[in-house]
């Protein structure tokens, strides 16, 4: 009997993980709770030596939308995200760190904005949550979108404005997959970056993007210093 392949997801959520045993279950639960059901969650384990993989595999058994890719050696989050993008089947891609969470309408709302405007880059607002469960503060304000729409070269010029701190967090955006593929193709395939590993991809993606839009709705929950990615 020939089994038909399941249709491609509308949004792929790429989750690079390394020793996120204590937080990955909540991160994945936020993916599975998305109001948009046509998603996949591509977890890329970057050679964890704790129980991270066991948690992912347990959750895989209850929801086939979770996929697992494993690196035999640690190659940094730059390469973990690259592996996730190359494995993704959706035409639109969100990123989630293994110690953060997505708001329930993250995929649905950002995809709606992308579809309505033919954008290849959608920025959304972020909730920055401290160890006491409170949100707000100066960092949250810095992450907020400052432009409603940009096109062409204005995207890079405005989002990486001269004289301002570089903001390269990939988890603030929904990307057209083709933009990310071009960005990764521009970097050496074996490059590893222990720190600021999202910055070059954000810069290149914004250079290749043609149509940017934003929404002021907070769709990402960044837990300040909860896990490894915040240190």
């Amino acid at each position: 009997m020939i089994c038909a392949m399941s249709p491609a997801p509308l949004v792929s959520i790429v989750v690079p993980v390394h020793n996120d045993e204590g937080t990955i279950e909540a991160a994945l639960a936020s993916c599975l709770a998305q109001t948009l059901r046509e998603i996949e969650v591509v977890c890329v384990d970057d050679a964890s030596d704790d129980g991270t993989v066991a948690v992912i595999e347990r959750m895989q058994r209850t929801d086939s939308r979770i996929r697992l890719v494993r690196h035999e050696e640690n190659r940094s989050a730059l390469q973990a995200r690259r592996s996730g993008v190359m494995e993704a089947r959706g035409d639109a891609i969100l990123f989630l760190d293994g110690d953060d969470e997505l708001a329930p309408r993250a995929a649905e709302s950002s995809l709606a904005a992308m579809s309505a405007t033919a954008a290849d880059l959608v920025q959304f607002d972020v909730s920055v949550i401290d160890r006491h469960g409170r949100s707000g503060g100066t960092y949250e304000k810095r992450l907020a979108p400052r432009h409603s729409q940009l096109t062409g070269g204005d995207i890079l010029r405005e989002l990486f404005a001269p004289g301002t701190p570089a903001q390269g967090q990939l988890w603030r955006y929904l990307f057209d997959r083709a933009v990310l593929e071009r960005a990764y193709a521009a970097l050496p395939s074996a490059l590893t970056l222990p720190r600021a590993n999202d910055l070059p991809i954000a810069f290149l993606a914004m250079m290749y993007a043609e149509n940017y839009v934003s929404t002021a709705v907070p769709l990402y929950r960044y837990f300040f210093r909860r896990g490894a990615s915040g240190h």
Side-chain angles (χ1 to χ4, degrees):
M1 180 174 62
I2 299 176
C3 297
M5 290 185 63
S6 59
L10 298 177
V11 175
S12 296
I13 304 171
V14 173
V15 187
V17 294
H18 177 71
N19 291 348
D20 290 310
E21 179 181 6
T23 58
I24 187 59
E25 182 170 2
L28 295 185
S30 77
C31 297
L32 302 181
Q34 290 298 298
T35 54
L36 180 72
R37 302 299 297 169
E38 295 86 355
I39 64 162
E40 67 172 353
V41 187
V42 184
C43 299
V44 183
D45 178 65
D46 199 27
S48 295
D49 56 15
D50 65 354
T52 298
V53 168
V55 175
I56 296 171
E57 290 177 334
R58 171 170 55 79
M59 297 186 73
Q60 254 189 317
R61 291 193 287 270
T62 64
D63 198 315
S64 61
R65 293 178 297 171
I66 298 176
R67 301 168 57 198
L68 177 61
V69 178
R70 300 187 67 176
H71 288 174
E72 293 184 1
E73 59 183 8
N74 187 272
R75 295 160 56 191
S76 82
L78 172 74
Q79 294 298 339
R81 293 191 185 97
R82 181 203 288 265
S83 295
V85 170
M86 297 307 141
E87 287 286 333
R89 296 188 298 138
D91 289 331
I93 294 178
L94 287 170
F95 290 102
L96 173 66
D97 283 350
D99 50 9
D100 291 331
E101 298 174 15
L102 293 173
R105 294 180 62 85
E108 181 179 4
S109 294
S110 59
L111 183 62
M114 176 175 278
S115 300
T117 59
D120 48 15
L121 183 62
V122 178
Q123 185 179 359
F124 38 82
D125 212 346
V126 175
S127 297
V128 176
I129 303 169
D130 68 18
R131 63 190 66 190
H132 304 292
R134 298 177 302 225
S135 62
T138 56
Y139 185 48
E140 183 174 288
K141 291 178 182 178
R142 289 207 311 270
L143 293 174
R146 302 188 184 281
H147 306 278
S148 58
Q149 187 168 7
L150 298 166
T151 58
D154 286 341
I155 299 173
L156 184 62
R157 278 191 291 268
E158 294 296 334
L159 299 185
F160 276 89
T164 63
Q167 299 282 354
Q169 301 88 349
L170 295 172
W171 34 256
R172 295 193 293 158
Y173 303 93
L174 176 73
F175 294 88
D176 183 287
R177 184 176 65 183
V179 169
L180 288 173
E181 289 174 342
R182 289 188 69 186
Y184 277 107
L187 292 177
S189 60
L191 177 66
T192 60
L193 293 174
R195 294 177 63 98
N197 47 68
D198 47 2
L199 194 58
I201 292 300
F203 185 92
L204 290 166
M206 291 167 195
M207 184 176 74
Y208 292 128
E210 293 292 336
N211 188 6
Y212 159 100
V213 296
S214 71
T215 173
V217 180
L219 300 178
Y220 193 93
R221 296 171 177 168
Y222 177 86
F223 288 86
F224 190 68
R225 296 191 178 277
R226 181 165 82 169
S229 71
H231 292 271

